[in-house]
Amino acid sequence: MTAKRKIKRKTTATRSRNRKLQTQGFRMPMRSALIAVLLGAGGIFYLLLCSRTEALARQIKTEEHELEQLRRRVAGEEVRWNDMISPRNLQAALRANNLNMGLPRHDQVIHIRDMALWESGHGERTMVSRLDSNRGGMSVR
Amino acid sequence: MKKISGLRLRAGLTGLFILAVFGGLAARVAHLQLGDHSELRLTYQRRVIHREELKAARGAVRDRNGRLLALDESRKNVGVDPSFIHAHNNPQLVQAALSRFLHVEPAMIGARLQETHRQFASLEQFVEEPRAEELDAYLRAHSLRNGVVMDNINVRTYPHQNLLSHVVGFVNREDVGSAGVEQTMHRFLQSRGGIRVSEKDGRRREMASRRSLQIDPTDGADVTLTVDMYLQYGVEEALDKALEQFGAAGGWALVMDVKTGEILAMASRPDYDPNAFNRTPSENMRNRNVTGSYEPGSIFKGLIFAAALNEGLVDPEEIIDCEYGVWIHRNRPLRDYHPYARLTAEEVLHKSSNIGTAKIALRMSPDMMYGYLRDFGFGQRTGIDLPGEESGIMHAPRNWDSLTHSRMSIGHAVNVTAVQMAAAMNAIANDGVLMRPYVVREVRSPSGDLLFKRHPEEAGPPVVRPEVAREMRRMLAGVTRPGGTGRRAAIEGFEIAGKTGTAQKVLPGGGYADKLNVASFVGFLPAQNPAVTILVSIDEPQGELRTGGSVAAPVFKEIAEYAIGYYGIPPEGF
């Protein structure tokens, strides 16, 4: 009888000891926890990347639109400038401002030539090269 | 015991329910993924997949100083989404706003807005950017922008209209060059479109983040011509004035750089506006400098003289019997415009005696004369970079009749183009060297890389010796002195060398017209150190005076004076 009572007491004591030690709920192993954290972090990172990608895409689209607008504006300005300097418009502007201007006569033009360059043969003697550069001489009007 | 079984039952039923829901969803997903749903796929592609062609601009055409002659101008096609406007906007206010800026009847705009079954109705095409921007700003300021569609579009524009139209040409509706430099340089000028494949969101906007494919478009390369726009304007003004003064049917003129063969100006009348090419008669599109050969008449004589001089068959001082204006040769009369008795060879050139010239030409064998004319470039294309160039007509000696030799020497029985004639005369100005004429100087990519550059090119060995060319220049300068047929081309302080020509036109049925002729003057200046060669031809001038000396020489003078002032050409040359 004493042995049974002892055993009973021991079982009760063990149980109460175990209850104090026992933790409530599911106990996750460390490895699984690490994996879960990594997956979660990866998922959050992925979401952040997607969000950033979307933001960049919107920015790209905005800047593409702006670039296109600027290109069109530049082209439009070039057209307007060319229109202003067209011979017809220049003549009209002169007339509108009562300016009677024409090209100089040949006796109104003084030609200054770099003789050393000219005689060395390096000065360009074709007319069109004169139009493109001042090598070989220059004209003062 | 009862409580536990109830709990278990509820737990079991809940679990079963959750399992059923998720199981059903899983089954549906599996069905969608694994089943054949081509219709669904098509619907998805139509609604979600966005495929867009990216357009690029065609290259610009510029003059030698970079001034624009042709370009793709940005315009807008304006339309409306009637269903959207009715649902989310104010149709009446939108109609009023659009009427302010568009060149469309308000009633038409109203009618388009009523078509609520449509998602798009076009209102006006090719609206200029400034006007489109004003419209856009106005709509946004009044919160009326939604539902108004403005599509970007490039329109090929020629800002100077008729100026240089025959050289620049035009593109057709398919953006293919169909005339002028637009045609010959099409492979450089054309752009290459791109493509973009992505997805649309619920509001049908393209999502940049979902682009699966993008090939960027490439703009066309820019072509720079040898032509100077301001010189061209002066040439066209002079030509137009002459056509009006003499009531002529047409005319053509060109200016060439002596040393390089670059074409600095080229004009042809009648002309056209390339912006309205589809409303232009084809006759007006013809560049008569390269297309449409004609009998040159007396302007040909200088070349015959040069050939004979080069062979030592004529001396400028020798006396030639000009038969008092009528010479029977091979049983046919050859007449002079003015009768002369005896002239020196040089005077034969100055007075443009047909008889004197024919006698000098007959000292050469047919093969010799023909050979020289071939060397001067006749009977073959010059190779100028413009479409439709003709080679002219010059029959080989084996096909000549008894009169061809004498008639060809005075510019008949042969057809030439203006550019051939100018290039041949230019050879005399250039110490006997024939230069190949050209109009395209260089081609550059949009990023500025040089893709093509044309350099001056000699068309062959010198036709005549330099001293012969020099002697010819001296003789031709006499044509514009008092007593010469070209005295109206003279410019004070300058020596002008050239030759007049008055060629009767050939009638369709054969023979020559009495009162229809081509009046020409071709020359260069300054005579002894030439800078430019100029050719002017006036087709069918009316009135009493229709000769080259009366009609074409003054035009030459006007163009030459303009060139002298514009380029600052000194009397002694460069």
Side-chain angles (χ1 to χ4, degrees):
Chain A
M1 266 176 85
T2 314
K4 264 192 181 174
R5 222 184 295 134
K6 268 191 184 172
I7 289 166
K8 211 177 173 180
R9 249 188 273 137
K10 198 179 176 182
T11 309
T12 309
T14 307
R15 212 183 289 135
S16 63
R17 227 183 13 251
N18 285 344
R19 210 180 286 129
K20 281 179 188 172
L21 289 173
Q22 269 180 1
T23 54
Q24 295 295 322
F26 177 69
R27 198 176 171 186
M28 193 182 241
M30 183 60 80
R31 203 175 290 171
S32 306
L34 278 173
I35 291 170
V37 164
L38 280 171
L39 282 175
I44 291 169
F45 187 62
Y46 172 76
L47 287 173
L48 281 171
L49 271 182
C50 282
S51 167
R52 181 75 182 129
T53 305
E54 290 289 332
L56 281 172
R58 280 194 296 276
Q59 194 180 345
I60 286 170
K61 204 149 168 66
T62 305
E63 289 184 3
E64 274 175 355
H65 180 73
E66 269 182 41
L67 179 64
E68 183 59 27
Q69 294 293 104
L70 285 170
R71 271 201 188 126
R72 287 172 172 271
R73 199 165 287 170
V74 165
E77 290 302 317
E78 196 174 8
V79 168
R80 267 193 283 278
W81 171 246
N82 266 268
D83 198 44
M84 283 169 64
I85 64 168
S86 75
R88 203 161 279 136
N89 284 343
L90 284 176
Q91 275 206 341
L94 288 172
R95 275 198 300 272
N97 290 284
N98 291 321
L99 292 169
N100 189 14
M101 292 174 68
L103 293 167
R105 293 191 316 270
H106 72 91
D107 57 347
Q108 293 175 309
V109 178
I110 301 169
H111 296 271
I112 301 171
R113 186 171 284 148
D114 182 337
M115 291 311 296
L117 194 61
W118 180 264
E119 283 164 3
S120 71
H122 293 304
E124 291 292 343
R125 301 191 188 205
T126 66
M127 191 180 69
V128 293
S129 59
R130 276 197 79 253
L131 300 177
D132 302 338
S133 75
N134 266 331
R135 284 175 296 165
M138 59 183 185
S139 298
V140 175
R141 298 173 191 215
Chain B
M1 286 295 286
K2 272 191 184 172
K3 265 190 185 174
I4 292 168
S5 67
L7 186 63
R8 274 194 182 157
L9 183 66
R10 285 196 295 277
L13 284 173
T14 307
L16 212 62
F17 175 74
I18 291 168
L19 206 65
V21 167
F22 280 98
L25 283 171
R28 177 65 178 154
V29 166
H31 175 65
L32 285 171
Q33 287 294 323
L34 302 174
D36 177 28
H37 300 289
S38 47
E39 275 185 34
L40 276 176
R41 209 165 281 124
L42 278 172
T43 308
Y44 167 80
Q45 279 172 357
R46 266 202 309 272
R47 284 192 190 163
V48 177
I49 298 293
H50 173 82
R51 195 183 179 87
E52 186 184 354
E53 280 180 20
L54 303 174
K55 295 205 172 81
R58 186 177 171 87
V61 179
R62 300 174 183 272
D63 83 337
R64 67 179 306 114
N65 298 307
R67 300 182 195 110
L68 282 171
L69 298 169
L71 76 153
D72 269 11
E73 201 179 344
S74 302
R75 300 279 180 101
K76 295 246 198 290
N77 285 344
V78 179
V80 288
D81 181 342
S83 62
F84 189 92
I85 287 175
H86 275 268
H88 302 101
N89 209 334
N90 188 318
Q92 284 78 31
L93 291 178
V94 168
Q95 180 185 352
L98 292 171
S99 305
R100 257 172 91 121
F101 295 93
L102 298 183
H103 300 152
V104 182
E105 290 292 326
M108 161 86 117
I109 298 174
R112 287 273 189 271
L113 283 169
Q114 291 309 313
E115 296 170 7
T116 51
H117 58 282
R118 297 174 68 175
Q119 285 185 329
F120 178 77
S122 174
L123 291 178
E124 187 182 346
Q125 291 190 317
F126 313 134
V127 178
E128 310 83 46
E129 281 284 338
R131 190 156 56 100
E133 276 178 17
E134 276 184 37
L135 170 62
D136 187 56
Y138 183 90
L139 289 171
R140 285 183 196 280
H142 293 82
S143 304
L144 297 170
R145 184 65 173 83
N146 288 336
V148 178
V149 180
M150 291 193 192
D151 288 332
N152 292 326
I153 189 167
N154 287 334
V155 175
R156 194 65 172 170
T157 304
Y158 304 91
H160 302 291
Q161 294 154 345
N162 294 42
L163 188 73
L164 211 53
S165 55
H166 293 96
V167 174
V168 174
F170 62 88
V171 294
N172 61 17
R173 293 272 180 243
E174 282 81 45
D175 268 346
V176 175
S178 301
V181 168
E182 291 271 31
Q183 182 178 340
T184 50
M185 304 306 287
H186 175 71
R187 72 185 187 286
F188 288 110
L189 288 166
Q190 65 177 348
S191 58
R192 274 153 191 80
I195 193 161
R196 178 185 289 160
V197 179
S198 62
E199 294 179 14
K200 289 182 278 195
D201 64 9
R203 296 178 74 177
R204 286 185 277 155
R205 294 175 302 191
E206 187 258 340
M207 293 193 288
S209 58
R210 298 293 180 92
R211 287 179 187 171
S212 55
L213 173 70
Q214 170 139 335
I215 300 172
D216 288 329
T218 312
D219 288 344
D222 283 0
V223 172
T224 300
L225 305 183
T226 58
V227 174
D228 186 314
M229 188 174 75
Y230 287 147
L231 179 66
Q232 177 75 20
Y233 182 72
V235 169
E236 293 199 7
E237 283 235 304
L239 200 57
D240 286 336
K241 210 160 75 176
L243 260 59
E244 196 184 326
Q245 183 182 353
F246 296 105
W252 51 97
L254 66 92
V255 181
M256 182 189 289
D257 179 85
V258 166
K259 295 279 186 262
T260 63
E262 291 184 354
I263 300 294
L264 302 173
M266 181 183 272
S268 179
R269 293 290 186 268
D271 65 345
Y272 67 104
D273 181 357
N275 295 302
F277 69 90
N278 53 334
R279 297 191 293 275
T280 301
S282 55
E283 176 60 25
N284 290 24
M285 294 183 187
R286 202 159 63 92
N287 183 352
R288 302 176 77 170
N289 287 286
V290 300
T291 302
S293 53
Y294 60 106
E295 288 194 348
S298 299
I299 54 175
F300 213 57
K301 291 173 181 169
L303 309 171
I304 301 297
F305 262 85
L309 200 61
N310 202 53
E311 291 295 321
L313 294 172
V314 67
D315 187 302
E317 300 299 319
E318 70 170 283
I319 303 296
I320 309 282
D321 182 359
C322 294
E323 312 283 346
Y324 291 96
V326 181
W327 180 44
I328 306 297
H329 171 66
R330 303 279 172 97
N331 296 319
R332 295 294 297 273
L334 179 62
R335 298 176 202 279
D336 274 341
Y337 195 68
H338 294 291
Y340 300 107
R342 297 159 78 82
L343 298 170
T344 64
E346 190 168 338
E347 284 173 335
V348 164
L349 189 62
H350 295 168
K351 308 282 186 196
S352 198
S353 165
N354 292 334
I355 295 169
T357 306
K359 285 188 174 183
I360 291 168
L362 288 167
R363 295 176 187 180
M364 292 185 280
S365 68
D367 284 331
M368 180 185 285
M369 190 173 99
Y370 179 78
Y372 269 100
L373 294 176
R374 286 287 296 190
D375 288 345
F376 270 120
F378 297 108
Q380 58 207 303
R381 294 191 185 90
T382 63
I384 192 171
D385 33 17
L386 289 170
E389 187 193 6
E390 293 184 8
S391 56
I393 304 171
M394 191 173 70
H395 296 298
R398 63 178 179 275
N399 297 321
W400 289 6
D401 61 28
S402 58
L403 293 175
T404 305
H405 195 158
S406 58
R407 298 310 188 257
M408 193 180 281
S409 69
I410 60 172
H412 291 286
V414 61
N415 273 35
V416 305
T417 61
V419 71
Q420 280 173 339
M421 193 63 231
M425 200 61 157
N426 193 74
I428 293 177
N430 193 32
D431 284 341
V433 177
L434 183 71
M435 300 304 293
R436 204 175 293 285
Y438 60 100
V439 296
V440 174
R441 203 172 177 207
E442 65 177 28
V443 179
R444 286 192 180 266
S445 71
S447 53
D449 299 324
L450 185 65
L451 301 177
F452 170 81
K453 187 169 176 70
R454 189 77 183 263
H455 295 281
E457 185 190 345
E458 294 174 9
V463 186
V464 297
R465 297 187 303 278
E467 56 270 26
V468 170
R470 201 163 36 243
E471 181 64 9
M472 280 307 305
R473 292 199 293 271
R474 187 194 64 76
M475 289 205 291
L476 287 169
V479 172
T480 60
R481 290 200 194 101
T485 56
R487 58 190 177 277
R488 289 189 179 86
I491 297 174
E492 194 184 324
F494 278 79
E495 249 197 334
I496 309 292
K499 187 71 190 73
T500 57
T502 309
Q504 286 173 293
K505 290 185 81 168
V506 178
L507 291 168
Y512 289 95
D514 278 338
K515 292 189 187 297
L516 296 178
N517 59 269
V518 176
S520 304
F521 189 96
V522 61
F524 43 83
L525 66 123
Q528 288 311 319
N529 190 11
V532 289
T533 297
I534 302 170
L535 178 144
V536 177
S537 287
I538 307 293
D539 187 22
E540 297 182 17
Q542 305 300 310
E544 287 302 313
L545 296 170
R546 300 192 308 273
T547 62
S550 307
V551 174
V555 185
F556 175 95
K557 178 182 173 175
E558 193 171 337
I559 294 171
E561 281 175 333
Y562 193 94
I564 287 167
Y566 182 62
Y567 292 132
I569 303 173
E572 68 279 14
F574 293 117

